[in-house]
Amino acid sequence: MMGAGTEAGEPVRFAVDWMLGRLARWLRILGHDVAYGPHLRRRTLIGCARREGRVLIIRDTRLLRDPTLPPHVFVTQDRFRDQLREVAAAVPLGGVPFSRCVECNRPLEDVPRERAEAAVPPYVFATAPRFQHCAGCGRFYWPATHHAHMRRELAALGLAAEGAA
Ligand SMILES: [Zn+2]
């Protein structure tokens, strides 16, 4: 990757190619601000990266022909784990894991338990120690078995400590 300047301590912000959905979700799980969606392809994707100072993650070789392409990582691997390693080799990864909505990228807010009661299954409400809410799409998040699975996955990739909150 070329020329991406990042402020110390600020997780790198990305603009991810529409072809790389799983990678985009995992970067959000890691706590990165990731612009991604069907509205962001080719020209609009590059425009977004340039306008918002995001590092592009692409896999479309046609985009490489643009001599003014902003700082970018060109992903060559097929599997998301390998793709994540490829990105990690080029850019420092790691924000606050589980701090963003994986669907719409908004920072999650901690909410009082009562807010979640009507929105989550009774068992979850009874057992989850805390809840987070996305003001964008209305989803509630809570630490659950899939979090444990994701933490193991990230630890295996060397991207997050298994015990980190
Ligand atoms: Zn959301």
Side-chain angles (χ1 to χ4, degrees), residues 101 103-106 134 136-139 141:
C101 180
E103 301 299 333
C104 64
N105 194 47
R106 281 226 194 188
C134 172
C137 67
R139 279 182 176 76
Y141 289 80

Side-chain angles (χ1 to χ4, degrees), residues 42-61:
R42 305 188 69 179
R43 204 173 304 225
T44 52
L45 179 74
I46 294 170
C48 166
R50 191 173 280 135
R51 211 168 43 244
E52 300 178 10
R54 296 172 180 274
V55 172
L56 271 173
I57 302 185
I58 53 174
R59 90 164 293 186
D60 183 343
T61 51

Side-chain angles (χ1 to χ4, degrees), residues 59-71:
R59 90 164 293 186
D60 183 343
T61 51
R62 287 171 296 186
L63 299 184
L64 292 175
R65 291 186 208 139
D66 179 348
T68 67
L69 200 64

Side-chain angles (χ1 to χ4, degrees), residues 18-19 21 27 46 67 69 72 75 83 88-89 92 124 135 142 152 155 164:
W18 176 237
M19 301 178 191
L27 289 168
I46 294 170
L69 200 64
H72 57 275
V75 164
Q83 292 172 343
V124 169
W142 58 90
R152 276 198 300 278

Side-chain angles (χ1 to χ4, degrees), residues 132-150:
Q132 292 172 298
H133 179 249
C134 172
C137 67
R139 279 182 176 76
F140 284 89
Y141 289 80
W142 58 90
T145 49
H146 72 279
H147 269 209
H149 159 75
M150 286 172 180

Side-chain angles (χ1 to χ4, degrees), residues 71-158:
H72 57 275
V73 179
F74 183 70
V75 164
T76 61
Q77 300 289 329
D78 291 325
R79 292 180 307 183
F80 89 90
R81 283 187 193 84
D82 300 329
Q83 292 172 343
L84 210 46
R85 283 201 186 90
E86 222 173 357
V87 174
V91 185
L93 289 188
V96 178
F98 311 109
S99 62
R100 283 188 179 270
C101 180
V102 296
E103 301 299 333
C104 64
N105 194 47
R106 281 226 194 188
L108 298 174
E109 307 155 23
D110 293 320
V111 291
R113 294 178 54 75
E114 311 82 76
R115 282 271 310 274
E117 185 163 12
V120 305
Y123 172 78
V124 169
F125 184 71
T127 55
R130 58 199 153 82
F131 293 93
Q132 292 172 298
H133 179 249
C134 172
C137 67
R139 279 182 176 76
F140 284 89
Y141 289 80
W142 58 90
T145 49
H146 72 279
H147 269 209
H149 159 75
M150 286 172 180
R151 283 182 195 287
R152 276 198 300 278
E153 185 88 57
L154 295 176
L157 288 162

